[in-house]
Amino acid sequence: MCGRFANTFDAAALTALFQTAIPLSNSRPLPAYNITPGTPVPVILAGDNARKAEYMHWGIASPVPATNISGGKAASRGLLINARAETMTEKPTFKQAALGRRCVVLASGWYEWKAPKQPYYISRTDGAPMAFAGLYWGGELSSTVIITTAADSELADIHHRAPLQISVDGTDHPAYNAGHNNAIDAWLDPSQSAEQINRMIAPSSAAPLTWHPVSPDVGRNTENHKGLIEAYDAAAHDPQPSLF
């Protein structure tokens, strides 16, 4: 986790909610229903005097063979796409970004596969946008990874990891008490201490979330349509004929 997600909101809606202009020009227009590693995703980071938004490629090049990686999930194309919250301030690959280059990745929900092969779509019950905690790297090809934590409550029945979510409703939390009146600005602040960062990475609650099975078509990179997030009845699509 997290290997696929969706962003069903357009740039105008995201601009209004997150109080910064979301670029309209990119190679993956919004809404996007099947966001895959290695493709551009909208992120928000701290600017000089205000938030700023841009598109970054999801995933950084793996420094070691994928089979030897610990602390971050590697995609099949040799990309690290996730960082574990519990170890990100210790692992050389993520440490500097965790201490000073934090961002949020904008989404409406994410996909997870429950054994053996059934994908689920997980989103907020109220349908509101999500802000996944992320780290970023600048340069010629700006890149980002999504931070994961242990999955909470019944959500762990689908998968044991889940994205770390940063509150987007403008309310504060006791963990975010370092001179900011909302969670996003606290998370983006590059001056936060390691101690304060560690207080901001408790697993996200599953209480405001809902999930349902979706079509296995989401596993194909070429699929990108609203039907991917809709409830799917596997039995109704069983190709085996009835014996009775």
Side-chain angles (χ1 to χ4, degrees):
M1 194 298 111
C2 163
R4 294 286 176 92
F5 68 98
N7 189 340
T8 63
F9 301 96
D10 61 26
L14 295 173
T15 292
L17 179 62
F18 289 96
Q19 301 173 0
T20 188
I22 308 299
L24 295 177
S25 177
N26 68 94
S27 58
R28 179 182 281 273
L30 297 175
Y33 297 94
N34 191 9
I35 299 174
T36 58
T39 57
V41 296
V43 305
I44 293 175
L45 55 153
D48 292 334
N49 299 303
R51 301 172 184 173
K52 65 178 182 178
E54 60 183 83
Y55 281 82
M56 293 185 176
H57 276 70
W58 180 22
I60 60 172
S62 170
V64 293
T67 54
N68 295 327
I69 290 170
S70 62
K73 181 175 179 180
S76 60
R77 286 176 281 175
L79 294 176
L80 281 172
I81 59 173
N82 297 154
R84 293 174 67 92
E86 301 90 336
T87 59
M88 68 181 186
T89 59
E90 303 169 4
K91 297 292 181 179
T93 302
F94 304 115
K95 182 175 181 179
Q96 293 305 313
L99 294 177
R101 298 192 304 275
R102 296 179 301 280
C103 64
V104 293
V105 179
L106 306 186
S108 59
W110 77 96
Y111 299 100
E112 195 54 77
W113 275 255
K114 183 176 182 178
K117 296 181 179 180
Q118 177 59 59
Y120 279 72
Y121 180 62
I122 304 158
S123 61
R124 287 184 57 93
T125 304
D126 61 8
M130 294 178 170
F132 296 159
L135 310 177
Y136 73 92
W137 290 258
E140 185 175 345
L141 182 64
S142 297
S143 302
T144 186
V145 300
I146 293 171
I147 297 170
T148 68
T149 63
D152 179 52
S153 188
E154 294 88 355
L155 187 57
D157 291 340
I158 299 176
H159 196 275
H160 65 285
R161 303 294 294 179
L164 172 62
Q165 299 164 57
I166 306 299
S167 171
V168 299
D169 63 5
T171 61
D172 205 350
H173 182 278
Y176 301 88
N177 58 0
H180 296 281
N181 60 11
N182 67 73
I184 287 181
D185 288 335
W187 174 255
L188 299 181
D189 184 353
S191 69
Q192 298 279 29
S193 67
E195 179 183 4
Q196 185 66 28
I197 294 167
N198 287 331
R199 288 202 292 264
M200 293 191 279
I201 58 174
S204 303
S205 171
L209 301 177
T210 184
W211 50 87
H212 56 260
V214 295
S215 169
D217 288 350
V218 72
R220 295 199 288 266
N221 291 3
T222 55
E223 297 289 335
N224 181 31
H225 54 83
K226 187 175 181 180
L228 296 178
I229 67 172
E230 296 175 352
Y232 177 83
D233 184 350
H237 293 80
D238 188 345
Q240 296 298 323
S242 172
L243 298 178
F244 303 96

